[in-house]
Amino acid sequence: MTKILPFKAVRPARPYAGLVASRPYEDYSETELRSQLEYNPYSFLHIVNPGYKFQHDIGGARRFEMVRNRYLEFREEGTFIQDPKPCFYVYKIKSRGNSCCGIIAAASAEDYERNVIKKHEDTIAPREQIFKEYLKVVGFNTEPVLLTYPDSELINSVLAETMKQRPEYEFATANRELHTLWKICDDENVNKIRKEFGAMSKIYIADGHHRSASSYLLAQESKDANPDHTGEEPYNYFMSYLIAESNLRIYEYSRLVTDLNGFSKEEFLIRLDEWFRIENRGFEIYKPSKKHHFNMYLDGEFYSLYLRHTNYEFSDSLSRLDSFILYEKILKPILGIEDLRHDKRITYVHGRNDLIELKTRIDSGEFQVGFGMLPANIEEIKQIADENLTMPPKSTYIEPKLRSGLTIYEF
């Protein structure tokens, strides 16, 4: 049984929604960030970058406190309002060629603990603790965890009926996306959605493993500190965006490496030959068409690498994953890269950027070799989660990516 609840969102008043909503802070270049902060007083970036008001960089616990202050100012000035009744929020994002729609709701920290909410990535304990402290000080969450569930005709029908109504928000962004949000507050449809999710034995984290882990840590700490704990306090839940599996867009990450770990080009190719059948594609831009096929760009030429199945043994779902094969047979044993998160010799380019970027960065001399693969699919992700295994870092780049500031969950 999966527990998904409506909540009383704090959100922009209707006139300000398009101005408040922002991309994640790290997505902005320095020039874009400065422009937004200077010319848009309603941008949510003013909350997450509170030192701008004083033209001063602020870090650590002081920054968390000032984030809280900027947030309270937005509430006091009427930029933010709070719904009087718990609601589900239907959020649709439409871009060129793609459209997705899901439900913003509160998911249960207890479900996370019981593994009803399934994970497929490892988390880093220090990052969990930092974000937990951030949540504890600011008292709100504005970055939903992306959860996915099997397609449901009942939920689809509720969403379709809801989207016939006038939306709360409808605005376009500079990257040619259309963002639309509706509320579901009536008891009948709220209960339908709760009951439908309640019948699901499990759902899956698509993106946001650290956010969910940090929210769980905060729930545990708050529970221990509250002698009157009931289990229904807001800290027992975390804000999530629930989307049907068919609406997910899953892309791969290419790997770029600065050097060949002391090998010459010829020696490196000989080492690869043990596990892969290699074809030189020359100047032809090659992208794999099957699982266990890889592309490689080296010294101005593309290569196709086909895993030798007669040599490689599949033992579980992780061993079949292309990013794992690439790590186990090339990155670690040949190129000497063991720590995929922190080794400065490796970087990643997500599949929304084409192979031209990979080629350009290698041709520039910044990197010496690059590898690509097909993206993982939802069934691979679910199977790895069901087997309680974890993917290598940067195995998936998953969309949609939501705007910050449209719905806020207070603890």
Side-chain angles (χ1 to χ4, degrees):
M1 179 178 176
T2 304
K3 194 171 185 179
I4 301 296
L5 298 183
F7 68 101
K8 299 177 184 179
V10 176
R11 56 187 181 84
R14 191 190 294 268
Y16 307 122
L19 294 170
V20 169
S22 71
R23 304 198 311 270
Y25 181 82
E26 60 274 8
D27 281 5
Y28 290 88
S29 68
E30 187 176 339
T31 302
E32 284 181 300
L33 184 61
R34 189 182 306 114
S35 176
Q36 283 289 315
L37 291 169
E38 185 169 353
Y39 297 110
N40 180 4
Y42 297 108
S43 174
F44 193 77
L45 294 169
H46 284 283
I47 294 177
V48 295
N49 188 26
Y52 179 80
K53 181 176 182 178
F54 304 99
Q55 298 297 304
H56 186 69
D57 289 332
I58 300 170
R62 175 63 62 84
R63 176 177 171 270
F64 299 168
E65 293 166 1
M66 292 188 67
V67 167
R68 172 81 178 162
N69 293 341
R70 295 291 82 73
Y71 170 70
L72 292 176
E73 287 175 7
F74 271 54
R75 291 210 62 175
E76 291 160 2
E77 293 166 355
T79 305
F80 285 151
I81 60 173
Q82 185 170 27
D83 285 313
K85 183 179 181 180
C87 303
F88 289 121
Y89 300 88
V90 178
Y91 183 21
K92 182 179 181 181
I93 306 172
K94 185 177 181 180
S95 60
R96 288 176 292 182
N98 281 327
S99 178
C100 67
C101 183
I103 300 171
I104 299 174
S108 167
E110 184 181 6
D111 283 352
Y112 178 89
E113 180 183 25
R114 295 189 299 120
N115 209 27
V116 172
I117 296 175
K118 309 285 286 187
K119 308 95 176 165
H120 67 265
E121 288 184 6
D122 275 331
T123 53
I124 302 172
R127 285 184 61 186
E128 294 176 11
Q129 289 292 335
I130 290 171
F131 193 59
K132 185 263 291 182
E133 287 301 316
Y134 172 83
L135 295 174
K136 181 180 178 180
V137 173
V138 303
F140 66 85
N141 188 2
T142 188
E143 297 183 25
V145 174
L146 186 62
L147 300 177
T148 190
Y149 61 90
D151 286 54
S152 160
E153 290 186 11
L154 186 147
I155 292 176
N156 288 344
S157 66
V158 173
L159 297 187
E161 285 300 313
T162 300
M163 289 187 288
K164 292 178 182 178
Q165 304 166 16
R166 182 194 181 195
E168 286 294 309
Y169 307 138
E170 186 174 31
F171 60 90
T173 54
N175 61 345
R176 298 189 179 184
E177 289 181 343
L178 180 63
H179 297 257
T180 317
L181 184 138
W182 297 262
K183 294 196 303 181
I184 299 178
C185 301
D186 63 287
D187 292 342
E188 180 182 358
N189 282 318
V190 164
N191 289 331
K192 281 183 181 179
I193 292 171
R194 289 188 62 176
K195 184 177 180 181
E196 184 72 355
F197 279 116
M200 297 179 188
S201 61
K202 56 191 173 184
I203 56 178
Y204 296 82
I205 299 175
D207 191 26
H209 286 77
H210 281 92
R211 277 168 277 156
S212 50
S214 300
S215 296
Y216 167 69
L217 291 178
L218 178 63
Q220 292 298 102
E221 183 176 302
S222 301
K223 173 184 175 181
D224 293 342
N226 181 5
D228 300 319
H229 174 83
T230 66
E232 296 304 317
E233 296 86 355
Y235 60 70
N236 292 291
Y237 301 89
F238 55 92
M239 187 167 65
S240 300
Y241 182 57
L242 294 114
I243 185 169
E245 292 171 5
S246 61
N247 266 215
L248 283 179
R249 299 291 177 265
I250 306 173
Y251 302 91
E252 76 284 4
Y253 274 100
S254 296
R255 276 80 166 124
L256 286 77
V257 182
T258 57
D259 60 80
L260 298 182
N261 197 28
F263 293 110
S264 68
K265 173 184 173 181
E266 291 73 20
E267 291 170 331
F268 179 62
L269 291 173
I270 290 171
R271 289 291 301 272
L272 290 180
D273 186 70
E274 178 182 358
W275 293 101
F276 300 91
R277 179 168 58 86
I278 305 169
E279 291 186 13
N280 187 326
R281 301 276 180 162
F283 301 117
E284 173 194 354
I285 295 179
Y286 170 74
K287 185 163 186 174
S289 58
K290 294 181 179 179
K291 292 290 184 182
H292 310 153
H293 290 189
F294 304 84
N295 65 287
M296 179 176 73
Y297 185 66
L298 172 66
D299 194 25
E301 296 179 308
F302 280 92
Y303 294 81
S304 54
L305 308 179
Y306 305 112
L307 181 68
R308 297 185 188 276
H309 289 89
T310 53
N311 289 1
Y312 187 85
E313 181 179 350
F314 297 116
S315 56
D316 55 27
S317 59
L318 182 60
S319 69
R320 297 178 179 275
L321 189 71
D322 282 348
S323 62
F324 180 82
I325 294 169
L326 186 61
Y327 173 67
E328 284 290 313
K329 298 306 175 189
I330 300 178
L331 296 177
K332 183 170 68 171
I334 302 176
L335 293 177
I337 295 173
E338 297 197 17
D339 188 344
L340 293 175
R341 294 186 189 275
H342 302 111
D343 195 314
K344 294 182 179 179
R345 296 170 55 225
I346 188 169
T347 196
Y348 305 88
V349 176
H350 63 70
R352 285 296 303 270
N353 298 330
D354 58 28
L355 291 175
I356 296 300
E357 179 178 350
L358 180 146
K359 180 180 185 301
T360 300
R361 296 183 72 174
I362 293 174
D363 288 344
S364 73
E366 182 183 4
F367 298 94
Q368 192 167 352
V369 64
F371 304 92
M373 68 203 88
L374 287 181
N377 58 51
I378 186 59
E379 293 305 320
E380 287 178 299
I381 293 172
K382 288 167 60 178
Q383 190 169 358
I384 286 171
D386 288 342
E387 294 177 21
N388 296 314
L389 301 171
T390 55
M391 292 181 169
K394 300 293 184 182
S395 287
T396 57
Y397 178 85
I398 296 180
E399 291 185 340
K401 302 294 184 186
L402 308 186
R403 293 267 157 167
S404 296
L406 282 181
T407 58
I408 296 170
Y409 182 80
E410 288 191 339
F411 307 117

